[in-house]
Every structure is written in structure tokens, then in C-alpha cells.
Amino acid sequence: MTEHSLLLLAGIGMVGVLTQWFAWWVKLPAILFLLLIGLLVGPVTGILDPDALFGELLFPMVSLSVAVILFEGSLTLRMSDIRGHGKVVSNLVSIGAAVTWLLVALSTHVFMEVSLGLSFLFGALVVVTGPTVIVPILRTVRPRSNLANILRWEGILIDPLGAILAVLVYTYIISDQGAVIGSVLEVFGLLVLFGSLVGVFAALLVWYVFRQQWIPSYLRNVFTLTLVFTVFAVSNHLEHESGLLAVTVMGIMLANLPDIHLEDILDFKESLSLLLISGLFIILAARLDLEQFRELGVMALLVLVVIMFVARPLSVFVSTLGSGLEFREKLLLSWIAPRGIVAAAVSALFSIKLEAAGYPAATFLIPMTFMVIIGTVSIQSATAGIIARMLGLSEPHPNGVLIAGGNPVALAVGVALHEQGYQVMLADRRWDNLSQARMKGLNTFFGSPISEHADRHMDLVGYGSLLAISTQPDFNALACLRFRQEFGANAVYELQVSPEKDSRQKQRVSVQHRGTLLFGEDVTYGRIASLLTKNAEIRSTQLGAEFGFQDYLDKYQDRVIPFFAIAPNERLYMFGVGRQPEPESGWTILGLVTPESAVDQTPPASDNPTGKTDHSG
């Protein structure tokens, strides 16, 4: 391999990672930028020629990459999730998906004059949306929480289900080549049989081996990855083109078997899939010929119109019959359905395979699918927020508060905000802390809010600020650093564990990594915890024309610590060091008020009255 080839390989990886970072920074789907960069370095400038770079290894590399992507996606498909997130979501991923599939297939067959088999394959490919394209749009649009949850769970569940549908349709098309066995249905049945049997056997093997702890923890990820490669190759060897079905079935089986912990595998596979996706889409887009887009013609735009303005609305309105959703809510659901990663990856693989199998018309799959992806992602990303605001379905400001920590101070703060009508979520790694919060009616997340598990599963729609209230300064700093880009630098706050003057220079957390200090320079976790044990309460006080904020401070003097100020428009402001709100008449103040009898007994600010170290996250 020449130096030039090495530079190209390293460049693909680096550009892919930087593109993912940029997409995260601007809160837009990464797939759009990956495809545009691939077009730029490929057909536009000619810098990258994937066929010349990889040669005969291109097809096996794409095949194995898609196998890993489908396996990772199917690992998230738990049957309990389909049943546990409402009738609308279940209908969208079943009835709605079928409606979309049929309408897209028929319109493709009529407008593009493509065979029914390839038309139904294309329809199956563009059924999927996916969380990687939905979540960034939801973060910018901020629709009502019920609509956000519907769209989010539809994307999570339709990814593997749509991939299974595409694999089955592709399998049916390929089985037409098997005239030696006698009939298409027999060949199709053999493909499904072998793929399913190999996938089930592999899943049971992993389940049993992990249950018996025959594989050490540090080898589990590598063992699973190599087994996925092996399952794909062996299944294809036993029955041609059954490998993708086998790895998909393997993932679904593992996701639904009892007593198996998949978090480590998911973390590893998600990181690997991210790397593969980043490189794969640059490579696939670089193989495109711009002439192919021109050859699609006006008829391709008509298919896109059907997908966006006919198939999606019809599938939504059919799936939401009897749901109680308002007409305008159905309209917004009808507009947000960008196509994503599975569609692009699987279409590229199937196009290559079908061309090799004697289907030259399959060349339309890649440019057509990429056109749908670019069209839906760019148009809907740019307009969904405007439409949501026009329909009155966009939250004006995400007032929800995420609290990192589940200790008594965090619980008291969360309950006080919840009683004022704010959405509050406590995130903690100790279940006993969260159980108290759940009994108080607060939302909870069991786990560390800065983990990859939280990135996948913590629903932040409606939340706009972070309060880091654990007793670990380093953890508070990490939480503020993690959510600084999510909520903005002015919306992350942390409560001091000990006064700054008591912290040694070597142990002090860097200021640039910290959030705004909550409530005051001399206010610490220990001080608040001590006051709470002495019957201090977080009280709400309404300000008026004759009782302003200064009157409030004069009334309680040293017995009050102002926590929050609530404007008449329900906008929540935090009292912090260097960031003090200016409450006026009509505002509400939430402050910690200490009984007069307890003032003289209050310990110094540096005390920790619990005498315990809180290991909560």
C-alpha cells in the first residue's frame, strides 16, 4: 500500500470523525454532512476513488460494515419496547410502515418504470427514519413531549424492522435466480430458514457462553464482533445471500433473551458502528456519479413528493385513528420523517450485489435513496421548527431541569421545582435515591447522566438546564462539561461541595470546565444539607408592587438563601455567582428559609453534617 493510500485511509477516518463532531455541534443529522463531503471528495474533485483505493476488498468491506450496523441496530429491538410505548408507536412501525412501503413501491414502479421487485425493495429501504436523524431535529424543533416521544421511539424501532423488511425483499428478489431448486418460494424459504437458524444458534451460543462466564469481560466485545463476522460469512456459505438476515436475527434474539447484559456490547458496537458509518458514507457517496442524479429526471422528484406529501401523512393518519391526537399534532408527525443511515448503507450494498447478480436496473437504488435522504433531511430540518411554531406545538423555551444527583439536597430542590409545575428529572446511580424521587412524582434516570447509556436512553426533550448537585466536585464538573453544548454555557450550574477558599490548588477543578456556581459563593452542599435537617424549607414568595425583592431580603435577612426566580411568563432563572436575576413585581421567589430558632445552631459553611461521602451520579 502506497503512502498516498495510507493518507487517504487516515483522511477518511479523520474527516468522518470531524464531521460527526460538527453535526453534534450544530445539532443537525451527521448523515447529511457525510454525504455532502463524500460527493465533494469523490465526483466533484476526484480526490477519492474508492474502487481504485480498495479494489476487490471494497465489496467485502461494505458487506461486513453493513452486517455490523444491522446487528447493532437489531440489538436495540426489544419486544417489550414495541408494546410499552403506546398504540401510536406500535401502529406507526407496523401499519404505518406497510402503508408507506406499498405507496412508495407503487409510485416508483409507475413513475420510474422500474420492475415491481426493485420498486418494493426501494420502498422497503425508505421506510426507515432512525434516531440518528430524528433526535437532532427534535432538539432544535422542541415539539410537545408526547409528539417528541412518538417520533423518537418510532425512529428507534423502525430502524431494525425496516432493515428486516428490506433484507426479506432483497432475499425474495435474489431467490428468483434459484431455478435449480424449483421455484422462487422454495429458494426464498431456504434463505429465510438458513439465515434464521444460523442467527438463532449464534445468539443462543453467546447467551450460554456469557451465562457460564467462559469468556472474560475484556474479550466479550471482540468475541461478539468476530462471531458476527463469522455468522455472516458462514450463513452466506451455507445459503447464498442469507448472511444479513442471520446477523439481524442474532441481534434480535440477544436483545430479547433473559439474564444477559448487553450494555458493554452495545457501547462497543455503537462506537464501532459510528466509525464504520462515518467512513462508509463518505466512501459510498464518493462512488456516486453526478450523471446518475441527472438521469433520474423529474420522475424521481415526483416519487420524493409522494414520500413526503402522500405516503407519510397517510401512514400517520391511519396509525393515529382513535388515538386522541389533535389534527395539528398529526400534521406535525406527518412532516417529520427524515430518512437515515440504514437506508443509505443497505441500498448501497444491495445495489452492488444486484448488479453483480444480473440486475443492471438496480443502479438507480443508490442515487435515488441518497436523493431521498438529502431531500428529507435538509427540507425537514430547515422547516420543521417553523411549522411546529405555526401550529403552536413547539415549546417556547425548554424549562425542564435535569438534576445530576439524587441526594437529599437534590431531591429537595427537585421537589420544590416540581411543585411549581416544572418538568424535573433526577439522574443518579443509586436506586434508593431515585425511589424517593419517584414517590414524589419526579422523572428519574437510573444511571450516570454522563455515560454513553444516557446518550442513548435519556430523553432530554423539554429540558433546558442542568443543576449538578452531587457531592463529587469532579463529577459535577464533568456533568457541566457534558451538557454545556447540549443546553448552552449559561444553562449549566453546579453546587459547591466545599468553599473555594478551602480547596487546595492542586485539587481545584478548572474554572473553564465548571458551570455557574449555584446560589452564592458561600453556599455549599454541606450548608444546605445542614439547614434542611434543622427544618429549613424551600418556600415560594410572590413579589408585588408593595413587597419587592429587597423587601423580601430585608424580611428574612440571613435566614434566606434565594434559589430561583420565576418570571410571569414562567421562565425560570437561577441565582448564581455572577448571574443574578432582577426580580420585579409579579415574580415568584423560591428560597431556602431557615427558622429563627435554628440560625444560631447552623454550622460553618465548610461542614458536612451528614458525615458521609455521597457516591451518587
Side-chain angles (χ1 to χ4, degrees):
M1 184 175 288
T2 64
E3 296 291 334
H4 178 67
S5 299
L6 286 174
L7 284 174
L8 285 176
L9 288 173
I12 290 171
M14 181 56 66
V15 170
V17 171
L18 291 176
T19 303
Q20 291 281 356
W21 170 81
F22 179 75
W24 166 78
W25 186 60
V26 299
K27 294 183 174 63
L28 288 174
I31 187 173
L32 180 62
F33 302 107
L34 290 170
L35 295 181
L36 293 177
I37 287 177
L39 291 172
L40 181 64
V41 300
V44 175
T45 63
I47 296 174
L48 176 62
D49 182 357
D51 293 273
L53 178 62
F54 296 100
E56 295 182 354
L57 291 178
L58 177 62
F59 175 70
M61 183 195 71
V62 172
S63 298
L64 290 176
S65 298
V66 173
V68 172
I69 292 170
L70 290 183
F71 174 72
E72 192 267 333
S74 61
L75 275 179
T76 64
L77 184 58
R78 295 180 176 87
M79 297 302 139
S80 59
D81 287 341
I82 298 178
R83 297 188 299 268
H85 288 91
K87 182 180 177 182
V88 173
V89 174
S90 300
N91 288 344
L92 281 173
V93 300
S94 55
I95 300 172
V99 170
T100 300
W101 178 40
L102 292 174
L103 286 177
V104 174
L106 292 176
S107 63
T108 304
H109 177 64
V110 172
F111 296 141
M112 304 291 294
E113 297 182 353
V114 179
S115 68
L116 275 175
L118 291 177
S119 297
F120 274 97
L121 177 58
F122 174 71
L125 290 170
V126 298
V127 160
V128 297
T129 55
T132 55
V133 286
I134 284 290
V135 171
I137 293 178
L138 294 180
R139 288 176 179 172
T140 56
V141 175
R142 298 198 308 269
R144 288 181 179 177
S145 59
N146 65 323
L147 301 180
N149 287 328
I150 289 173
L151 291 168
R152 178 172 171 266
W153 277 104
E154 180 198 8
I156 291 172
L157 297 175
I158 198 65
D159 237 355
L161 288 175
I164 294 171
L165 177 62
V167 169
L168 290 176
V169 176
Y170 166 77
T171 301
Y172 182 80
I173 294 174
I174 287 296
S175 65
D176 190 28
Q177 302 294 311
V180 293
I181 298 181
S183 72
V184 172
L185 289 178
E186 288 181 2
V187 177
F188 175 72
L190 287 174
L191 290 175
V192 174
L193 178 64
F194 275 91
S196 300
L197 287 177
V198 173
V200 169
F201 174 79
L204 292 175
L205 175 64
V206 173
W207 177 74
Y208 185 77
V209 167
F210 283 10
R211 285 283 303 274
Q212 299 299 318
Q213 298 186 1
W214 288 348
I215 304 293
S217 58
Y218 75 94
L219 281 179
R220 288 189 173 192
N221 290 330
V222 178
F223 170 77
T224 306
L225 175 63
T226 53
L227 185 60
V228 169
F229 291 155
T230 304
V231 166
F232 177 75
V234 169
S235 185
N236 273 345
H237 178 72
L238 293 175
E239 185 62 36
H240 189 55
E241 303 298 351
S242 63
L244 290 178
L245 180 61
V247 297
T248 304
V249 171
M250 176 184 172
I252 295 173
M253 279 286 295
L254 282 175
N256 291 278
L257 285 171
D259 303 325
I260 181 171
H261 299 288
L262 300 175
E263 292 304 321
D264 291 340
I265 296 176
L266 274 171
D267 289 342
F268 175 70
K269 292 293 184 299
E270 190 174 64
S271 300
L272 181 62
S273 294
L274 191 65
L275 178 63
L276 292 175
I277 287 166
S278 301
L280 189 62
F281 288 125
I282 293 175
I283 292 169
L284 294 177
R287 293 185 74 247
L288 290 173
D289 184 354
L290 295 181
E291 186 62 30
Q292 291 179 310
F293 287 98
R294 286 191 288 268
E295 291 175 356
L296 292 177
V298 178
M299 293 296 106
L301 295 178
L302 289 178
V303 175
L304 179 61
V305 168
V306 170
I307 291 172
M308 296 181 64
F309 295 97
V310 180
R312 175 62 178 182
L314 186 58
S315 69
V316 167
F317 276 84
V318 170
S319 301
T320 55
L321 287 174
S323 65
L325 289 175
E326 300 176 16
F327 179 77
R328 55 185 181 142
E329 292 177 320
K330 296 178 183 180
L331 284 179
L332 186 60
L333 291 177
S334 299
W335 184 241
I336 302 178
R339 270 52 179 185
I341 284 168
V342 170
V346 180
S347 67
L349 177 60
F350 287 171
S351 177
I352 296 172
K353 287 191 172 188
L354 287 170
E355 287 181 64
Y359 291 86
T363 53
F364 93 100
L365 285 174
I366 298 179
M368 190 68 188
T369 304
F370 281 26
M371 186 196 73
V372 171
I373 291 171
I374 295 173
T376 55
V377 171
S378 58
I379 294 174
Q380 293 175 2
S381 295
T383 60
I386 298 172
I387 292 174
R389 288 190 291 273
M390 288 175 58
L391 295 173
L393 297 175
S394 179
E395 295 182 355
H397 182 79
N399 269 339
V401 179
L402 171 64
I403 299 180
N407 49 65
V409 173
L411 179 61
V413 172
V415 169
L417 291 173
H418 177 68
E419 290 176 348
Q420 295 298 317
Y422 291 96
Q423 188 177 2
V424 178
M425 180 190 298
L426 261 64
D428 198 284
R429 291 178 292 186
R430 292 180 55 178
W431 182 251
D432 55 337
N433 286 343
L434 294 185
S435 62
Q436 298 181 51
R438 291 168 69 90
M439 288 189 292
K440 298 287 187 180
L442 276 62
N443 296 327
T444 60
F445 177 79
F446 181 43
S448 173
I450 60 176
S451 66
E452 290 188 25
H453 175 77
D455 289 340
R456 283 197 306 271
H457 298 286
M458 189 162 56
D459 183 8
L460 293 177
V461 175
Y463 292 90
S465 56
L466 167 77
L467 306 182
I469 310 181
S470 83
T471 57
Q472 301 177 67
D474 294 343
F475 173 81
N476 289 339
L478 282 174
C480 291
L481 188 63
R482 158 65 180 85
F483 290 97
R484 184 187 299 265
Q485 184 61 39
E486 188 80 36
F487 299 142
N490 294 330
V492 291
Y493 299 81
E494 65 172 294
L495 181 62
Q496 292 185 91
V497 177
S498 59
E500 193 69 23
K501 63 179 181 292
D502 293 341
S503 301
R504 296 181 180 179
Q505 185 69 29
K506 292 182 179 180
Q507 298 174 341
R508 190 175 301 168
V509 179
S510 175
V511 174
Q512 64 182 354
H513 296 153
R514 295 173 58 169
T516 301
L517 294 182
L518 272 173
F519 310 144
E521 291 184 357
D522 59 343
V523 180
T524 64
Y525 175 90
R527 180 181 175 189
I528 295 177
S530 174
L531 293 173
L532 289 174
T533 61
K534 293 175 168 46
N535 299 321
E537 297 177 346
I538 303 177
R539 299 179 186 174
S540 63
T541 303
Q542 183 82 26
L543 301 182
E546 298 181 358
F547 186 78
F549 183 58
Q550 188 58 50
D551 298 316
Y552 171 82
L553 295 178
D554 292 340
K555 176 181 178 180
Y556 293 109
Q557 298 183 357
D558 294 337
R559 295 192 296 114
V560 67
I561 302 175
F563 278 7
F564 308 102
I566 303 173
N569 63 359
E570 298 184 353
R571 183 76 178 268
L572 181 68
Y573 296 87
M574 287 73 169
F575 283 90
V577 175
R579 190 170 294 129
Q580 296 284 327
E582 299 179 359
E584 301 174 355
S585 176
W587 288 49
T588 300
I589 304 298
L590 288 182
L592 183 67
V593 179
T594 307
E596 295 184 13
S597 59
V599 171
D600 295 336
Q601 304 173 21
T602 303
S606 60
D607 287 355
N608 181 356
T610 62
K612 301 176 182 179
T613 301
D614 178 18
H615 298 285
S616 63

